[in-house]
Amino acid sequence: MTRSDPSVEEPDERNIEVEDHPKSWVAGLPGVYHSMQPALKHMGPVRTAKTVMKMNQKDGFDCPSCAWPDPHKRKAFEFCENGAKAVTWEATPVVIDSDFWAEHPVSELRQRSEYWLGMQGRLTEPVHKPAGEDHYRPISWDGAIRILADKLKSLDSPDQAAFYTSGRTSNEAAFLWQLFVRGYGTNNLPDCSNMCHESSGVGMGETIGVGKATVTFEDFANADLIIVMGQNPGTNHPRMLTELEACKENGGSIVAVNPMPEAGLRRYKNPQKVKGIIGHGTDLADQFLHIRLGGDIALLQAVTKRVFDAEDRNPGTVLDHAFLAEHCEGLEELRAHLANVDEAEVLRATGLRAWEIDELAERYIASEKTIITWAMGITQQKQGVATIKEMINLLLLRGNIGKPGAGASPIRGHSNVQGDRTMGIWEQMPPAFMDALGREFAFDPPREHGADSIATIRGMRDGKIKVLAALGGNLVAAISDTHVAEAAVEQTELTVQISTKLNRSHTVVGDEALILPTMGRTEIDVQESGPQFVSVEDTVCAVHPSAGSVEPVSHKLLSEPAIVSRIADAVLGDKIAADWRGFEKNYDRIRDHISRVVPGCENYNTRIRQEGGFILAHGPRDSRTFPTPSGKAILTVNHLEPLEAPPGTLILQTLRSHDQFNTTIYGHNDRYRGVRKGRDVVFVNPADMAELRLVDGGFVDVRGVHDDGVERVLPAYRVVAYPTARGCVAAYYPEANALVPLDAVVDGSNTPVSKAVIVKLEPVEAPA
């Protein structure tokens, strides 16, 4: 295919349009239109039918967007608006040709927006930026891999390199990647989970022994109560709304806990039902708790105390004493700690009223089957790990783990981020995994823990990490403290990006840089042994196959397993007992090794070919067995540390627009929040605006308030009056990452605290 210059219209941020009222419902016919219109425009009807209509089908490919699970019985339209946008973005027939690199120096590309970069089309050939030059140049695959291999072999220590992984990577590619990295001699395996659900893994791992959801897909429809905390499913994982609707139709209730009243938690018009097209749709949240940022841990402690109080009033009727006695420890310590909860402090921390907390407690006590589900609104708080432990406390008190229709459910925001971790993408894999890996491939894997994403940035900044290789993703844009991160990457000797399309990380580079183009999940993968498929794991531990449905946009592309295999062969040779060339020819060979190394993946090749794949074993969910040191679930004592904002300041959270997924920007409209033609906005409560003498539609510098002496500013942002919680404001990610200091991390997980940024809004003149 040849490249035709895409028409990319960048917005004029001075002319942002804001509607008077944000939307009160989601999906319906507008959802259908906004799903199909970009696909038909950019791909045409034939390619759209071959991609969008095959997404999440049993004989198709897994959505490259979020990790929401698939129902056993698939619908004809098993996709959402953002999934359709993700496929359109990846499967576009527009490609970047060789002339592009001569026309656009790296310094110019760096001035372009994420949107512009992504809209240039698919990458189709390896390119190399030599040291001291400002242009990428096309290069052969052998030449590109030789440059990387020579550099890695020249380092004084394997720990001078770091190997990042995106959550889009398949299980097969992820397994090969971690094998290659450990065969090379390091555990420097930062990944996108470090920045999103690391807190979930830590909090759940330390309490129930498994850092994954304890629910099945069917549990959502069968729950009596679903408490949705710190997430916006209408934008970030829209297919979840169908299961929330099913819960309501089955008589369940839903409570939303969020600093912003998102439309996706209010009313859902299911486009696959008549009432979703011409009717009112389904009202979702029966109770909305307009919580202050950082107040979730206080809310949970207050509800848990009310559960204890109800048990004291009616002994033997509220707590699940049999479950607690057989499966849990720490009950009396928790009871004693919460006896001292300060109600006034809770109300200050949450911004709620006592009767609102009473109502939630009453709903929980009345429910026999409760799910608590959360996302990054929780995991990126300073006390994110402790907050998740408090969720587990509350669930355990009434036996809501290991029971149908109940459990803990972190919602993974990237399509295979959970599978990557299962396959070994973690800088601190347990000894049992390393032992199995070493036995399988006849080598001694490194045992010292490696660098996560934050530590990798620090290592590059300090000159300790000299090579950064990324299997997908956009680390520079995704990580906190943007200016520090970019300066750190520029200190490296070589950066390598394995990618489908351009992004910010291709423009902020080391002295030398490589881009290695890869096939997308939508594309047919044929190797020497025939057509191949890969596999992924969703947010409820279901593992299923994924096979592309359209021809690759270029014959020069390699698959991710092929690229990793060739790199590993060039770097390691026969250092470990791995048939790298055989892995590229036939992915069954990769899965055979996975079956002998990864717990729960026995007979992988047989089970992945069963209809719908298979579900990984999960002790707490399946049998109420807890792989903790004591063999019991642990009720924990966590100390509340209220988030305080000095006078004249506010607490900022970063969030996604509806027209994006992670750092990928599909457009400049945030339809449900009523913002069009721009992204440089800050959402402010009208009462806070009045108190701070700000004007709706006026402009402010959003200035970070930190004690490290570093100035962090988002200049000339448009003020948008919005019903955020009092004292709280919001701005779009990834732009607002610039306000989050690198050292501002969640206690226990090292995740950036992107939901707890103290800022000051300083009025400025409108930009010229």
Side-chain angles (χ1 to χ4, degrees):
M1 295 183 182
T2 58
R3 176 177 182 266
S4 57
D5 286 329
S7 176
V8 181
E9 183 180 352
E10 291 279 35
D12 184 342
E13 295 286 351
R14 297 169 298 180
N15 298 321
I16 293 174
E17 298 177 3
V18 181
E19 297 178 11
D20 291 338
H21 302 286
K23 296 288 190 296
S24 60
W25 57 273
V26 298
L29 279 176
V32 176
Y33 171 78
H34 288 283
S35 294
M36 300 309 296
Q37 190 268 341
L40 293 170
K41 176 182 177 181
H42 295 290
M43 295 193 298
V46 174
R47 197 170 179 86
T48 295
K50 289 182 176 181
T51 53
V52 175
M53 301 305 294
K54 296 289 287 185
M55 182 163 52
N56 299 318
Q57 300 299 326
K58 292 180 180 179
D59 61 344
F61 61 89
D62 191 72
C63 177
S65 187
C66 81
W68 182 252
D70 300 318
H72 180 71
K73 185 177 181 181
R74 309 292 164 89
K75 308 179 188 71
F77 304 101
E78 198 60 63
F79 60 88
C80 66
E81 179 180 338
N82 261 14
K85 289 177 180 177
V87 166
T88 301
W89 185 87
E90 177 185 290
T92 173
V94 177
V95 299
I96 292 176
D97 62 22
S98 298
D99 293 340
F100 176 89
W101 308 108
E103 296 167 2
H104 299 282
V106 177
S107 56
E108 181 220 313
L109 293 175
R110 186 164 178 171
Q111 305 307 312
R112 300 289 191 172
S113 70
E114 288 282 5
Y115 174 68
W116 188 94
L117 292 170
M119 290 298 291
Q120 296 312 296
R122 286 287 300 278
L123 298 160
T124 59
E125 60 187 344
V127 291
H128 173 228
K129 188 199 81 66
E133 296 191 15
D134 194 27
H135 283 267
Y136 283 107
R137 299 176 181 174
I139 189 174
S140 69
W141 276 106
D142 287 345
I145 290 172
R146 186 167 55 250
I147 289 171
L148 172 56
D150 289 346
K151 176 58 69 174
L152 291 176
K153 291 177 180 179
S154 74
L155 298 179
D156 295 332
S157 164
D159 291 330
Q160 290 183 330
F163 301 85
Y164 181 73
T165 315
S166 159
R168 271 188 169 179
T169 305
S170 69
N171 284 346
E172 290 75 9
F175 183 81
L176 291 184
W177 188 243
Q178 64 82 31
L179 174 62
F180 155 59
V181 171
R182 293 187 166 109
Y184 176 61
T186 184
N187 281 312
N188 287 347
L189 280 159
D191 75 323
C192 58
S193 190
N194 298 147
M195 294 171 281
C196 55
H197 272 288
E198 197 71 58
S199 299
S200 300
V202 173
M204 298 177 73
E206 293 180 357
T207 53
I208 63 172
V210 179
K212 298 182 180 182
T214 71
V215 299
T216 67
F217 177 83
E218 292 75 18
D219 286 334
F220 284 92
N222 295 318
D224 295 333
L225 172 66
I226 300 177
I227 303 174
V228 184
M229 302 187 71
Q231 61 174 299
N232 174 21
T235 285
N236 298 330
H237 26 267
R239 288 197 298 151
M240 181 181 182
L241 298 175
T242 301
E243 299 316 304
L244 295 180
E245 178 185 53
C247 173
K248 293 299 296 289
E249 291 175 343
N250 290 338
S253 61
I254 295 170
V255 174
V257 182
N258 210 47
M260 300 176 75
E262 304 287 10
L265 293 170
R266 300 175 68 182
R267 180 156 53 101
Y268 173 47
K269 301 184 71 172
N270 188 336
Q272 301 196 60
K273 293 184 177 181
V274 173
K275 71 175 184 179
I277 299 295
I278 62 175
H280 176 80
T282 302
D283 293 318
L284 292 180
D286 299 280
Q287 182 184 6
F288 171 60
L289 295 176
H290 203 189
I291 198 163
R292 184 175 178 268
L293 282 165
D296 301 271
I297 184 173
L299 170 64
L300 290 161
Q301 289 184 340
V303 172
T304 302
K305 183 178 186 303
R306 284 161 167 78
V307 172
F308 278 124
D309 291 345
E311 171 70 19
D312 291 342
R313 291 191 298 270
N314 298 280
T317 65
V318 178
L319 301 185
D320 188 334
H321 289 280
F323 173 79
L324 290 166
E326 183 177 357
H327 297 293
C328 303
E329 63 180 348
L331 177 64
E332 294 310 316
E333 293 85 348
L334 177 63
R335 185 196 296 267
H337 174 66
L338 293 184
N340 299 315
V341 166
D342 184 334
E343 184 78 1
E345 186 175 51
V346 167
L347 299 181
R348 285 194 300 273
T350 62
L352 302 173
R353 292 160 288 188
W355 67 263
E356 294 178 288
I357 302 174
D358 291 341
E359 180 181 339
L360 176 57
E362 290 165 4
R363 290 179 182 276
Y364 181 69
I365 292 168
S367 168
E368 293 299 320
K369 300 175 295 183
T370 298
I371 293 173
I372 301 180
T373 177
W374 69 93
M376 286 184 282
I378 299 296
T379 66
Q380 294 179 336
Q381 298 182 21
K382 179 67 173 172
Q383 287 196 278
V385 171
T387 302
I388 291 160
K389 290 181 176 182
E390 291 292 353
M391 294 180 192
I392 301 299
N393 284 343
L394 185 57
L395 289 169
L396 291 174
L397 288 183
R398 288 182 51 76
N400 279 306
I401 288 182
K403 179 168 64 176
S409 179
I411 301 298
R412 308 290 176 176
H414 217 326
S415 56
N416 197 41
V417 64
Q418 185 161 300
D420 288 354
R421 185 59 59 89
T422 299
M423 292 297 119
I425 299 294
W426 192 26
E427 73 279 357
Q428 44 185 311
M429 287 299 287
F433 179 93
M434 304 298 266
D435 291 343
L437 191 70
R439 285 193 303 270
E440 183 70 11
F441 295 99
F443 79 111
D444 185 18
R447 302 303 174 116
E448 184 177 350
H449 290 175
D452 64 6
S453 294
I454 293 290
T456 293
I457 298 298
R458 291 177 182 146
M460 292 187 292
R461 178 195 62 191
D462 299 338
K464 297 178 180 178
I465 293 177
K466 301 179 182 298
V467 174
L468 173 66
L471 182 59
N474 187 4
L475 176 60
V476 164
I479 198 72
S480 53
D481 220 341
T482 306
H483 300 303
V484 170
E486 292 184 351
V489 172
E490 290 178 320
Q491 297 298 312
T492 62
E493 295 176 5
L494 173 67
T495 52
V496 183
Q497 305 291 330
I498 302 172
S499 309
T500 55
K501 298 184 80 173
L502 280 174
N503 63 46
R504 180 72 174 170
S505 291
H506 302 94
T507 72
V508 180
V509 296
D511 193 22
E512 271 189 284
L514 288 166
I515 301 175
L516 307 180
T518 186
M519 293 167 55
R521 197 174 288 178
T522 57
E523 291 169 318
I524 298 170
D525 183 359
V526 178
Q527 301 296 341
E528 186 174 309
S529 65
Q532 305 295 312
F533 68 89
V534 294
S535 56
V536 296
E537 179 187 346
D538 64 32
T539 199
V540 295
C541 307
V543 182
H544 47 91
S546 176
S549 57
V550 293
E551 291 295 325
V553 294
S554 171
H555 68 276
K556 297 179 183 179
L557 293 176
L558 296 179
S559 69
E560 285 186 339
I563 294 171
V564 177
S565 294
R566 294 189 186 190
I567 292 172
D569 190 38
V571 175
L572 302 182
D574 59 0
K575 181 180 177 181
I576 68 175
D579 181 11
W580 301 110
R581 295 183 182 181
F583 295 155
E584 177 178 349
K585 295 175 183 177
N586 189 336
Y587 301 169
D588 277 357
R589 297 177 182 178
I590 306 170
R591 288 185 284 268
D592 281 340
H593 288 293
I594 291 172
S595 71
R596 294 188 289 268
V597 172
V598 180
C601 291
E602 298 79 9
N603 301 315
Y604 202 116
N605 272 313
T606 298
R607 295 162 70 201
I608 197 64
R609 286 175 165 85
Q610 297 170 351
E611 183 177 351
F614 64 95
I615 297 177
L616 290 170
H618 189 298
R621 179 198 66 207
D622 300 337
S623 58
R624 288 184 162 178
T625 54
F626 299 92
T628 62
S630 66
K632 292 189 174 185
I634 303 168
L635 293 150
T636 56
V637 169
N638 305 286
H639 297 279
L640 174 62
E641 299 173 8
L643 181 60
E644 302 289 348
T649 66
L650 300 166
I651 307 170
L652 178 136
Q653 66 167 323
T654 68
L655 46 71
R656 296 178 187 163
S657 163
H658 188 67
D659 235 0
Q660 73 178 98
F661 183 75
N662 290 346
T663 62
T664 302
I665 312 301
Y666 302 130
H668 291 86
N669 299 327
D670 193 354
R671 193 166 82 252
Y672 295 143
R673 297 191 185 103
V675 176
R676 299 180 67 248
K677 299 183 180 180
R679 295 176 54 83
D680 292 354
V681 300
V682 58
F683 298 97
V684 188
N685 186 290
D688 289 323
M689 289 174 50
E691 186 175 297
L692 297 173
R693 298 183 179 180
L694 303 176
V695 178
D696 186 17
F699 289 84
V700 295
D701 285 347
V702 185
R703 189 173 300 276
V705 178
H706 311 291
D707 57 7
D708 60 4
V710 178
E711 184 174 85
R712 299 177 178 87
V713 183
L714 299 178
Y717 263 47
R718 163 84 175 266
V719 174
V720 174
Y722 202 86
T724 61
R726 280 299 309 271
C728 303
V729 297
Y732 293 131
Y733 159 100
E735 293 88 343
N737 286 350
L739 299 175
V740 186
L742 189 67
D743 294 329
V745 295
V746 178
D747 297 332
S749 70
N750 216 35
T751 295
V753 291
S754 301
K755 304 299 184 282
V757 186
I758 307 300
V759 298
K760 188 171 185 178
L761 306 184
E762 299 179 346
V764 296
E765 296 295 326

